[in-house]
């Protein structure tokens, strides 16, 4: 009885063990099949067709030939994302390539007041030592220079040296900059001292950049500090317009301009983005006030920091004005204080108001005429005009009269100062208004005059500013091109010739006056690249003529340097008796051949061949000689 019970239990145990083994095999087979299927589908999705997936129990074996080490690693990572990475067995190989692909060479140069640092990967064949010496020299004796360059032994890419040369030229002009260099492209990020300097730098860098080089310039200028922070918007019979507009951010400018356009302003609109706003809600206040002015039907709203002056046009309906002004006063942010003014309706006046008129001619002649209150104001206005215009060309046609209104002296002097902001124009001062009209080479002149008059007279005073921007008067926009600069030099030297003492490099005769005129032309030309070429006649030895021509070209270069011409981008070259322009057999011909010529340097034509180009040229020359033999 006991034996049969034991046998039954043993049988049950064996049957259970067999069933567990069969179940485990089924589970393992299922996991294996699903793992292989999941990895294969992922490989197909990611483009890893080169890999074969084999299941071995719970392990996933990868076989095949990967085109690169990177592709092999990606395939392993893809498989590890579908199954546990510990189950992935890598049996793949990598295709053997004949040569490794060259890396992308690049530089990044950082320069600030504390020094210069450079980081990147450059070809081993490039002149690393000269590059670091140049940058160390730019950092100065007291500056720091940090070199984090790495080299790789590959051929120098096409346009690499051209890119590096341009980057170094740009770095000399940009004391606070980051310059990124790749073969065929240079990206410049820099900070300038002013918008005028920003325009000069951008113009100069683009002019001197080689044609095939991709240049990206991001030069920023600091935002000006405006005090008081003034915006003035007018709606009258002439239409809606800004006399002055400032904003604290670009987003604020867009909102203010949109409000002005909705109120009927047309044409080119914009605000000066500056520092000095009394609140971050500046745009809210300005846009509310412009909308209120539009609803009123006309008038003037003036912001001077947090003071707001809301003036209706004469004859506005009093009830409507009170309602709109009240709603605006309650809607403005708390920091703003509103003064609402409803002028009385105009009445007939039999006699014209007293006037003071100041005019500035395009030639610089200043004339003051009209009425002044006393001799002290008369002399003060004359002396103030001489100080502001820096000229003795002041014509006085004023008359001292009694009975002028209070504050007349302030209005007269403010008008003279406003006129000094123009290139030419006029200012008319009356008891109830000041009118400024004229032309300027600065796009900000109108806004600057508006801020000046508000500061001197107060935001509630009536004045009109009508200033036209004339590009020809803009010192930045009117900078001459390289070709115009060279044409100016040719005009100076067309009828005159720089001469030297016999067998000497000493400039003789009227040469000094000619250099004065050339220097005057070059002072207006920024970042000009000029070659000063010296030539002689054929008398004397060839070596002696070459040395003499070099000395004479150097003498001209030194003469321009003494006259404070920026000659860092000039070069003096002596060509001796080469390239004659006349017959050396006659005295007249020899005289013509002894000359100094000026020409523009074209960067592409002056580049030295790279080491690789020299090797290729020598190999080609040797091959041609072998074929000839």
């Amino acid at each position: 009885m006991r034996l049969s019970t034991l046998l039954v239990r043993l049988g049950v145990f064996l049957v259970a063990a067999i069933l567990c083994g069969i179940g485990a095999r089924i589970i393992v087979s299922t996991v294996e099949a699903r793992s292989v299927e999941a990895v294969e589908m992922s490989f197909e999705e990611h483009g890893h067709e080169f890999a074969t997936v084999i299941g071995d129990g719970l392990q996933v074996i990868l076989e095949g030939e990967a085109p690169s080490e990177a592709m092999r690693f990606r395939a392993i990572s893809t498989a590890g994302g579908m199954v546990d990475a510990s189950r992935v067995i890598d049996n793949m190989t990598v295709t053997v390539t004949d040569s490794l692909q060259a890396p992308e060479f690049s530089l990044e140069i950082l320069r600030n007041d504390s020094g210069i640092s450079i980081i990147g990967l450059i070809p081993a064949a490039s002149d690393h030592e000269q590059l670091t010496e140049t940058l160390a020299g730019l950092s100065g004796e007291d500056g720091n220079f940090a070199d984090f360059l790495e080299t790789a032994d590959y051929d120098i890419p096409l346009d690499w040296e051209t890119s590096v040369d341009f980057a170094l030229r740009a770095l000399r002009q940009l004391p606070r900059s980051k310059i990124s260099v790749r073969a065929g492209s240079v990206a410049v990020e820099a900070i300038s001292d002013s918008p005028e300097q920003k325009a000069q730098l951008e113009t100069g860098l683009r002019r001197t950049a080689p044609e095939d080089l991709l240049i990206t310039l991001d030069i920023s200028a600091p935002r000006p500090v405006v005090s008081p922070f003034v915006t003035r918007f007018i709606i009258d019979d002439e239409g809606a317009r800004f006399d002055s507009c400032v904003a604290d951010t670009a987003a604020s400018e867009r909102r203010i301009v949109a409000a002005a356009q909705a109120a009927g302003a047309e044409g080119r609109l914009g605000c000066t983005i500056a520092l000095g706003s009394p609140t971050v809600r500046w745009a809210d206040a300005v846009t509310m006030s412009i909308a209120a002015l539009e609803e009123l039907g006309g008038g003037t709203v003036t912001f001077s920091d947090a003071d707001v002056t809301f003036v209706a046009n004469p004859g506005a309906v009093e009830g409507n004005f009170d309602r709109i002004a009240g709603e605006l006063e309650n809607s403005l942010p708390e920091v703003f204080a509103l003064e609402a003014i409803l002028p009385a309706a105009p009445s007939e006046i039999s006699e014209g108001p007293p006037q003071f008129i100041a005019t500035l001619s395009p030639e610089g002649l200043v004339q003051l005429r009209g009425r002044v209150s006393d001799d002290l104001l008369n002399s003060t206005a004359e002396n103030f005009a001489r100080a502001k215009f820096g000229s003795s060309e002041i014509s006085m046609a004023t008359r001292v009269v009694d009975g002028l209104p209070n504050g007349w002296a302030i209005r007269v002097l403010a008008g003279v100062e406003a006129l000094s902001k123009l290139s030419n124009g006029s200012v008319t001062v009356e008891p109830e208004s000041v009118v400024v009209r004229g032309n300027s080479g600065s796009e900000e002149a109108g806004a600057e005059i508006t801020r000046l008059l508000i500061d001197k007279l107060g935001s509630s005073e009536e004045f009109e500013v009508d200033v036209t921007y004339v590009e020809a008067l803009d010192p930045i926009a009117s900078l001459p091109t390289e070709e115009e600069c060279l044409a100016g030099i040719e005009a100076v030297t067309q009828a005159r010739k720089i001469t030297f003492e016999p067998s000497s490099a000493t400039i003789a005769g009227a040469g000094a006056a000619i250099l004065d005129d050339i220097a005057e032309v070059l002072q207006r030309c920024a970042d000009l690249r000029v070659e000063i070429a010296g030539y002689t006649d054929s008398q004397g030895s060839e070596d002696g003529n070459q040395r003499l021509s070099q000395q004479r070209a150097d003498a001209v270069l030194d003469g321009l340097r003494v006259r404070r011409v920026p000659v860092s981008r000039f070069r003096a070259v002596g060509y001796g008796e080469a390239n004659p322009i006349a017959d050396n057999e006659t005295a007249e011909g020899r005289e013509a051949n002894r000359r100094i010529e000026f020409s523009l340097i074209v960067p592409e034509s002056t580049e030295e061949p790279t080491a690789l180009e020299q090797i290729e040229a020598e190999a080609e020359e040797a091959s041609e000689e072998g074929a000839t033999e």
Side-chain angles (χ1 to χ4, degrees):
M1 182 68 180
R2 291 179 180 174
L3 180 61
S4 61
T5 302
L6 180 62
L7 290 174
V8 170
R9 290 178 177 178
L10 181 61
V12 171
F13 179 78
L14 291 174
V15 171
I18 292 170
L19 292 176
C20 287
I22 295 171
R25 283 183 173 276
I26 294 173
I27 292 172
V28 168
S29 299
T30 303
V31 171
E32 177 183 322
R34 291 186 177 180
S35 297
V36 171
E37 182 181 358
V39 174
E40 286 179 340
M41 291 179 63
S42 182
F43 277 5
E44 183 178 353
E45 180 181 348
H46 290 85
H48 301 325
E49 291 84 359
F50 60 85
T52 302
V53 185
I54 300 174
D56 185 7
L58 296 180
Q59 292 182 336
V60 175
I61 302 172
L62 306 182
E63 294 184 349
E65 187 173 304
S68 66
E69 183 66 29
M71 294 296 292
R72 183 187 73 84
F73 180 77
R74 290 172 188 164
I76 296 173
S77 300
T78 301
M82 303 305 299
V83 299
D84 192 289
S86 62
R87 294 167 53 197
V88 179
I89 306 299
D90 175 26
N91 285 342
M92 292 184 291
T93 59
V94 179
T95 303
V96 179
T97 57
D98 296 333
S99 61
L100 295 176
Q101 184 178 3
E104 182 180 15
F105 294 111
S106 63
L107 287 178
E108 188 164 282
I109 309 173
L110 302 176
R111 184 181 184 187
N112 54 35
D113 295 336
S114 61
I116 296 176
S117 63
I118 182 170
I119 187 172
L121 179 67
I122 65 173
S126 61
D127 198 337
H128 183 190
E129 183 177 354
Q130 181 181 0
L131 175 62
T132 53
E133 285 180 358
T134 301
L135 293 175
L138 287 176
S139 63
E141 296 181 359
D142 300 329
N144 297 318
F145 173 62
D147 180 6
F148 300 104
L149 286 178
E150 300 288 342
T151 60
D153 192 10
Y154 290 90
D155 293 338
I156 299 177
L158 183 66
D159 294 331
W160 170 258
E161 293 187 341
T162 302
S163 302
V164 173
D165 289 343
F166 178 79
L168 293 177
R169 292 202 302 269
L171 192 69
R172 290 187 178 93
Q173 305 175 55
L174 303 169
R176 295 179 296 278
S177 59
K178 181 180 79 170
I179 301 180
S180 303
V181 183
R182 286 179 171 77
S185 68
V186 177
V188 177
E189 297 180 36
I191 299 175
S192 63
D193 294 331
S194 64
E196 292 76 16
Q197 186 188 49
K198 173 181 181 293
Q200 288 180 331
L201 289 171
E202 289 177 341
T203 301
L205 290 174
R206 294 193 187 280
R207 284 180 179 175
T208 57
E211 291 183 1
D212 297 333
L213 193 63
L214 177 61
I215 304 298
T216 303
L217 298 180
D218 183 11
I219 301 177
S220 59
R223 287 191 291 169
V225 178
V226 174
S227 181
F229 216 65
V230 171
T231 292
R232 181 180 174 93
F233 189 73
I234 301 171
I235 301 178
D236 57 16
D237 294 339
E238 297 180 9
R241 64 192 183 278
F242 283 110
D243 260 0
S244 172
C245 182
V246 290
D248 52 345
T249 64
S252 294
E253 180 193 23
R254 290 191 293 270
R255 290 182 57 196
I256 293 171
V257 169
Q261 290 172 334
E266 299 178 349
R268 182 180 178 182
L269 300 176
C271 302
T272 301
I273 300 176
L275 302 174
S277 169
T279 173
V280 294
R281 296 196 61 190
W282 175 261
D284 293 337
V286 175
T287 53
M288 289 177 189
S289 301
I290 291 176
L293 198 66
E294 179 193 12
E295 183 181 0
L296 183 62
T300 302
V301 60
T302 304
F303 283 79
S304 179
D305 289 334
D307 295 325
V308 185
T309 305
F310 190 76
V311 183
N313 286 333
V317 178
E318 184 175 355
N320 192 37
F321 172 78
D322 290 341
R323 177 183 62 81
I324 294 173
E327 291 175 352
L328 176 61
E329 185 172 9
N330 285 280
S331 300
L332 286 172
E334 291 183 3
V335 69
F336 290 94
L338 178 69
E339 180 184 6
I341 300 175
L342 178 62
S347 58
E348 295 185 3
I349 302 176
S350 59
E351 186 177 320
Q355 289 184 333
F356 171 86
I357 301 173
T359 60
L360 172 62
S361 72
E363 297 76 23
L365 176 63
V366 178
Q367 184 185 63
L368 307 182
R369 67 180 189 270
R371 303 181 184 184
V372 293
S373 55
D374 51 42
D375 292 331
L376 177 60
L377 175 58
N378 195 47
S379 60
T380 301
E382 181 179 3
N383 293 332
F384 188 57
R386 293 189 189 279
K388 282 295 180 182
F389 295 95
S391 171
S392 59
E393 297 294 327
I394 305 294
S395 174
M396 298 296 294
T398 54
R399 187 164 61 94
V400 178
V401 297
D402 296 326
L404 293 175
N406 293 332
W408 186 256
I410 296 175
R411 302 172 74 83
V412 166
L413 297 179
V416 172
E417 187 172 358
L419 185 66
S420 69
K421 307 295 183 182
L422 302 177
S423 298
N424 57 78
S426 66
V427 174
T428 302
V429 177
E430 295 182 350
E432 301 298 330
S433 68
V434 176
V435 180
V436 182
R437 291 190 175 92
N439 301 318
S440 174
S442 170
E443 293 185 282
E444 301 297 325
E448 188 176 353
I449 291 172
T450 298
R451 290 194 293 270
L452 167 68
L453 294 178
I454 290 175
D455 183 47
K456 301 297 183 183
L457 307 180
S459 58
S460 61
E461 291 294 324
E462 285 290 330
F463 60 84
E464 178 184 347
V465 179
D466 183 9
V467 177
T468 302
Y469 168 70
V470 180
E471 185 176 351
L473 300 174
D474 191 332
I476 302 301
S478 61
L479 284 175
T481 64
E482 291 182 338
E483 292 73 16
E484 290 171 341
C485 293
L486 186 62
I489 298 174
E490 292 174 350
V492 170
T493 58
Q494 185 174 13
R496 298 181 294 172
K497 180 179 179 181
I498 301 174
T499 57
F500 300 84
E501 294 182 1
S503 302
S504 169
T506 302
I507 298 175
I514 298 175
L515 284 183
D516 289 339
D517 293 340
I518 294 174
E520 185 178 350
V521 172
L522 293 174
Q523 290 287 0
R524 296 182 287 108
C525 301
D527 299 313
L528 196 64
R529 296 168 56 94
V530 173
E531 178 181 277
I532 303 171
Y535 295 92
T536 67
D537 57 30
S538 62
Q539 291 183 325
S541 67
E542 185 174 343
D543 290 342
N545 286 335
Q546 196 282 326
R547 284 194 300 272
L548 180 60
S549 65
Q550 182 66 55
Q551 292 168 358
R552 290 179 171 178
D554 289 337
V556 173
L557 181 64
D558 292 339
L560 293 175
R561 183 182 290 111
V562 169
R563 288 163 174 80
R564 297 190 176 184
V565 174
V567 296
S568 60
R569 299 172 60 76
F570 289 22
R571 71 182 180 200
V573 182
Y575 291 100
E577 59 191 59
N579 302 326
I581 60 174
D583 187 1
N584 275 310
E585 299 300 322
T586 65
E588 294 80 3
R590 291 192 293 272
E591 174 63 26
N593 289 331
R594 296 191 291 269
R595 68 194 188 278
I596 294 291
E597 290 185 353
F598 295 84
S599 62
L600 295 177
I601 297 175
V602 181
E604 291 80 1
S605 65
T606 61
E607 293 174 358
E608 294 293 333
T610 64
L612 177 61
E613 292 171 341
Q614 291 178 354
I615 293 172
E616 291 175 346
E618 292 172 358
E620 184 178 353
E621 184 178 349
S623 176
E624 292 177 354
E625 291 178 355
T628 304
E629 293 176 358

